[in-house]
Amino acid sequence: MKLWAGRFGKEEDSRVNDFNSSISFDARMYRQDIKGSIAHATMLGKTGIISQEDVKAIIAGLNGILQDLETGSLEFDPQAEDIHMFIEATLTQRIGDAGKRLHTARSRNDQVAVDLRLYLRDEIEGLIPTVKELIGVLCNKAKEHCATIMPGYTHLQRAQPITFGHHLMAYAQMFLRDLDRLSCTKKRMNQMPLGSGALAGTTYPIDRELTCELLGFEKPCANSLDGVSDRDFCIDLASDLSILMMHLSRFSEEIIAWCSWEFKFIELDDAFATGSSIMPQKKNPDVAELVRGKASRVYGDLMGLLSFMKGLPLAYNKDMQEDKEAIFDALDTAKLCLVTFIPMLDTMRVLQENMRAAAAKGFINATDCADYLTKKGVPFRDAYKITGTLVAQCIQEGKTLETLELDQYQAQCSVFGEDVFEAISLETCVNGRTSLGGPAPASVLRQVEEVLSELNSL
Ligand code: ARG
């Protein structure tokens, strides 16, 4: 029999029950539901809305349910409509009338809103150290490879020389911003909806400040309609996770390319690669590919949330029950990706010689060659053109700027001297890029220090 059976003349059709039920996916919020109910009951007692005796019985009963769920001696009833109904019904079964008083001055609408905020707040708190760990691994590797020369790319064409450490620190910056976004989302969702009731508050003399304080929220939601019908905190989080996954996916895409024989810049540890069922030679970067694939899944969760919310009139509508599977899936997916990606990154082997060899091809020091002339007084546009002509000559003769003869340089421009070879060596090109935020080893080390100190202050 349903808790709300009074109004109805018939049992609910079992298909409607199955269709309507959310316990299969909202059961995971049982701790938060119990915590919210304990705070609500405490407030009802303090304000004299229910007796202290009832409050005691309710809190003892809820703690008993919590313990039994944790130990497995109480199982979720798959027939229950949702986690809120299940816990309330179990409480009443166990303690009688006091259990029936718990829902005074409360609706499932403010109850689910508080549970979900508490749950997501906890999840964000759990996610932050994982993202920090990822940034830590990036910093370690960047330090180790602060002087490892590799080609930097634009349009996936070799462009200018950089260091591998610099490349890694670019990702560290992205993940730092992801951390910041997660903290802002947590702060924004940290408002307490209990007391909004079904939609229109309540006539009972409730104390929202008290429940707010008991549950560690910053302040009570200021409008009861908004308190029960806003789900933008889910959308905020799904958006943060989508951006995080986009970063992980770009990184994965690079790792996949770097593992190929065409690049061979890195080799994944055997424990983080997979083989083929038919081709004995294969070593596949499945983890990186799955991360790339799962990014789309998180985007799908975000799109789902945005789509089902966009047409809903105030206040609560049952469509909103769809929020949970979407945001839980986004969280589970992002966490799963992170915990697999981090050790894969940490254990990968960097093939420095191959990076260096790739950097030696593709004329990535051409800008430096032009800069050499500019620093000797040739206007940049002229220097650019002269260097372009030299590159064309190299391509025709199968040479590089390093192997072109000095008289060939001088035939294009008399300003060239013997020191051009020093000026265009990859080491000079990289070491000279000391501009703030640049790829020189000293700059990479500075970036690492700054990121680590920012991490510590978070
Ligand atoms: N299981 C519901 C949800 O997740 C709880 C709120 C139900 N409220 C209601 N008025 N039917 O949205």
Side-chain angles (χ1 to χ4, degrees), residues 214-409:
L214 290 173
L215 294 171
F217 283 102
E218 204 174 295
K219 55 181 180 190
C221 299
N223 179 294
S224 66
L225 289 171
D226 181 49
V228 290
S229 57
D230 142 51
R231 290 294 180 272
D232 53 13
F233 59 96
C234 296
I235 297 174
D236 259 351
L237 180 54
S239 156
D240 299 348
L241 295 172
S242 294
I243 297 174
L244 170 74
M245 287 302 298
M246 179 270 292
H247 290 148
L248 272 183
S249 177
R250 285 188 84 175
F251 201 175
S252 294
E253 167 65 15
E254 296 207 296
I255 288 173
I256 294 160
W258 292 340
C259 284
S260 71
W261 282 106
E262 283 67 18
F263 278 84
K264 263 292 162 241
F265 283 2
I266 59 163
E267 183 168 358
L268 295 177
D269 190 89
D270 280 0
F272 288 91
T274 44
S276 152
S277 62
I278 175 174
M279 296 167 281
Q281 85 285 10
K282 289 298 283 293
K283 181 170 173 182
N284 295 330
D286 282 23
V287 171
E289 289 171 58
L290 261 181
V291 169
R292 190 177 56 185
K294 284 181 189 292
S296 354
R297 180 183 171 129
V298 176
Y299 295 179
D301 294 325
L302 171 63
M303 287 310 135
L305 284 160
L306 284 168
S307 312
F308 80 72
M309 286 299 290
K310 81 184 240 303
L312 296 187
L314 300 185
Y316 179 84
N317 300 269
K318 190 74 177 201
D319 318 41
M320 286 155 72
Q321 179 166 283
E322 291 290 308
D323 58 1
K324 280 164 235 43
E325 279 168 296
I327 193 63
F328 295 161
D329 181 70
L331 268 168
D332 293 348
T333 305
K335 283 194 298 189
L336 185 65
C337 289
L338 280 167
V339 298
T340 325
F341 187 91
I342 295 170
M344 176 193 72
L345 182 69
D346 199 22
T347 53
M348 78 185 186
R349 207 154 61 84
V350 177
L351 305 175
Q352 299 180 214
E353 331 70 54
N354 295 350
M355 288 186 178
R356 180 74 175 70
K361 293 180 212 143
F363 307 100
I364 66 176
N365 46 5
T367 315
D368 299 84
C369 180
D371 287 342
Y372 164 91
L373 289 178
T374 309
K375 285 173 190 163
K376 289 192 182 252
V378 181
F380 180 73
R381 271 291 154 241
D382 294 338
Y384 173 97
K385 198 166 167 214
I386 293 163
T387 309
T389 314
L390 287 168
V391 167
Q393 198 173 341
C394 286
I395 293 171
Q396 209 167 30
E397 297 178 20
K399 287 186 166 173
T400 65
L401 286 172
E402 287 88 336
T403 56
L404 208 61
E405 304 294 334
L406 182 59
D407 51 14
Q408 292 181 288
Y409 273 103

Side-chain angles (χ1 to χ4, degrees), residues 22 26 81-82 84 108-109 112 231 316 318 320-321 323-324:
S22 54
D26 65 18
E81 190 175 315
D82 55 30
H84 326 292
R108 261 188 306 157
N109 297 349
V112 71
R231 290 294 180 272
Y316 179 84
K318 190 74 177 201
M320 286 155 72
Q321 179 166 283
D323 58 1
K324 280 164 235 43

